[in-house]
Amino acid sequence: MLKETTSIEGQGNQSNIRKRMDENRRVHNWDAECKFPSNLLLEPTNRCNHACLMCANSKGTKKRGMIDKEFAKKIIKEAYDLGTREVGFYGMGEPLLDRNLEEYIRYAKSLGYEYTYITTNGALLSEERSKSLLEAGIDSVKFSINAANPEDYFFIHGKDEFHKVTEHLICFDALRRKQERKIALYISYIATRYTVSDEEDFKRKYQRYVDDIVFLDCRASGDMSDELDTYLSVGREAAEPFKSGICPMVFNKLHVTYEGFLSMCCDDLQNYLAVADLNKESLKEAWNNAYARGLRKRHLEHDLRGTRCFNCMNGCNEPIQPLNPDLAVLYDCKCWNKGQEIRERMNMRKHD
């Protein structure tokens, strides 16, 4: 599943995201050793039932798996005890593939978490599963829908499920309106050069069902800079959080992978920004360990060349090294490419 490069939330509309950026800057003061964050992103799985063209997941070589249930609860409790109050359940995969998801949400709410949320492609969010999530206490759901019609949806997502997903969206909206408490519902739409012209049409059709639709331009970043720039990007202008030359995520959010690593990024497919194995190191120790402090210091000094952060923030594909080689699944950034997959999908689109 695609993760937006502006993902520094909780989860909410664009003005709220910018407000939180400013708040986090004041709270954390951009220090190499910084205060424990209020937000946790816990990855239930790196498996995905879609293969979006602008997402690197399908070319990843890291082992696929599900998070251990007892480990997940341990991290949720440990983070809460350290002051975290928001938890999102997603990462590089589709969270609804994990049948324990509702149990994690219930557990988080029982501890006192104020905000629980997921981002999903929505294909598995049937009426039954929607009711289950609502009963568990979910506070927010964001659908990732990256096209405005079935043909472009198949082209982008690799699955002919546009009608299913939009029906699930409408159903979830109807169910949440029956709740006594407020449940937020959003859509994110990553616009490629093939789908950017459909934004207004999409908004007209679906804005009535959600609290906000966040439109983001596909841009060269992360593990797919070459492919996105060549085939899909709308532009190469830096995303809003990157204009300072510092990525706020390394200062204000916990990212825990399904295998139990603390990473400094929500989009760390091969663990190049992993700083600790939380099966061996406590969350409190890991947050400000030498690897984490070193990366933050490099951000503050604008000395990121050779890191995955540099490629992501500058839309390039230079050779990089992992922060902790013992945790990373190594790859050659010049050979590890999704171009053929994109070209094949483009050819299919031309023949339709």
Side-chain angles (χ1 to χ4, degrees):
M1 179 191 299
L2 178 69
K3 302 298 170 296
E4 302 93 324
T5 54
T6 54
S7 180
I8 57 164
E9 12 20 301
Q11 183 163 292
N13 63 33
Q14 296 175 75
S15 61
N16 285 339
I17 288 172
R18 294 190 183 98
K19 180 180 178 182
R20 289 193 182 206
M21 284 175 60
D22 293 337
E23 289 174 349
N24 280 318
R25 287 192 181 104
R26 289 195 297 272
V27 170
H28 295 284
N29 297 317
W30 303 102
D31 292 327
E33 183 167 340
C34 56
K35 181 180 175 182
F36 201 79
S38 62
N39 188 278
L40 163 67
L41 199 61
L42 186 67
E43 179 182 68
T45 181
N46 66 339
R47 297 171 182 165
C48 193
N49 54 329
H50 281 199
C52 294
L53 284 183
M54 59 284 208
C55 178
N57 193 323
S58 64
K59 74 176 185 177
T61 59
K62 190 173 81 170
K63 183 180 178 181
R64 309 286 171 163
M66 295 280 185
I67 198 168
D68 177 80
K69 183 166 71 171
E70 295 309 312
F71 172 82
K73 288 185 173 181
K74 178 179 83 74
I75 293 299
I76 293 168
K77 176 67 162 61
E78 195 173 349
Y80 183 82
D81 289 343
L82 290 166
T84 302
R85 291 298 180 266
E86 300 177 345
V87 54
F89 296 99
Y90 65 92
M92 290 304 300
E94 169 52 53
L96 293 174
L97 288 170
D98 190 341
R99 299 303 301 185
N100 295 317
L101 178 61
E102 287 86 340
E103 186 173 346
Y104 302 148
I105 294 167
R106 281 193 295 272
Y107 181 64
K109 297 303 289 186
S110 74
L111 291 175
Y113 273 89
E114 299 165 6
Y115 198 68
T116 61
Y117 61 99
I118 64 169
T119 289
T120 172
N121 58 49
L124 300 175
L125 196 54
S126 62
E127 181 176 359
E128 180 182 1
R129 197 73 192 273
S130 294
K131 290 178 179 178
S132 179
L133 280 179
L134 291 167
E135 289 169 0
I138 192 77
D139 294 294
S140 172
V141 173
K142 177 151 65 67
F143 279 67
S144 179
I145 305 175
N146 303 302
N149 58 70
E151 295 73 26
D152 285 338
Y153 188 90
F154 179 75
F155 168 59
I156 295 296
H157 284 253
K159 290 292 182 73
D160 185 16
E161 295 185 319
F162 179 80
H163 291 304
K164 175 194 285 189
V165 167
T166 52
E167 287 170 5
H168 288 173
L169 173 76
I170 294 168
C171 176
F172 189 90
D173 176 49
L175 290 170
R176 70 168 180 145
R177 291 179 183 277
K178 298 178 182 179
Q179 301 285 313
E180 294 181 357
R181 63 187 183 89
K182 171 68 175 177
I183 297 100
L185 181 59
Y186 304 104
I187 298 172
S188 64
Y189 182 113
I190 310 298
T192 68
R193 64 188 62 166
Y194 298 99
T195 57
V196 67
S197 62
D198 295 327
E199 287 182 359
E200 286 305 315
D201 181 53
F202 184 86
K203 186 176 181 179
R204 281 194 301 272
K205 289 179 180 177
Y206 298 106
Q207 64 181 349
R208 76 190 74 171
Y209 303 111
V210 298
D211 298 295
D212 194 22
I213 301 176
V214 180
F215 292 100
L216 299 166
D217 288 344
C218 181
R219 60 177 289 274
S221 64
D223 296 313
M224 288 188 59
S225 291
D226 289 350
E227 303 100 297
L228 295 180
D229 185 43
T230 301
Y231 301 107
L232 299 172
S233 293
V234 174
R236 296 192 64 162
E237 183 179 357
E240 188 68 29
F242 296 163
K243 291 182 178 179
S244 66
I246 299 174
C247 178
M249 283 195 287
V250 304
F251 296 87
N252 62 34
K253 181 180 278 190
L254 299 159
H255 308 95
V256 179
T257 70
Y258 86 88
E259 68 264 61
F261 298 162
L262 176 65
S263 175
M264 305 308 287
C265 180
C266 66
D267 193 25
D268 188 17
L269 186 65
Q270 301 283 113
N271 295 337
Y272 268 56
L273 295 175
V275 298
D277 183 348
L278 298 176
N279 297 286
K280 301 176 181 178
E281 187 174 348
S282 75
L283 194 56
K284 182 178 181 180
E285 294 170 335
W287 176 245
N288 279 312
N289 71 10
Y291 293 111
R293 294 197 312 271
L295 181 64
R296 295 188 194 112
K297 185 173 184 289
R298 293 183 68 172
H299 273 263
L300 293 168
E301 295 176 352
H302 304 288
D303 179 30
L304 290 170
R305 192 176 295 274
T307 69
R308 188 187 178 283
C309 295
F310 181 85
N311 284 0
C312 183
M313 296 173 71
N314 293 280
C316 60
N317 193 28
E318 295 187 1
I320 59 175
Q321 295 296 322
L323 299 182
N324 186 339
D326 292 337
L327 304 180
V329 179
L330 302 180
Y331 67 95
D332 183 344
C333 66
K334 294 299 182 183
C335 301
W336 196 52
N337 195 280
K338 195 172 173 176
Q340 182 177 347
E341 181 181 345
I342 296 174
R343 289 192 297 273
E344 288 174 355
R345 201 88 63 83
M346 290 171 64
N347 288 334
M348 290 175 60
R349 186 173 187 266
K350 291 175 183 177
H351 295 152
D352 288 342

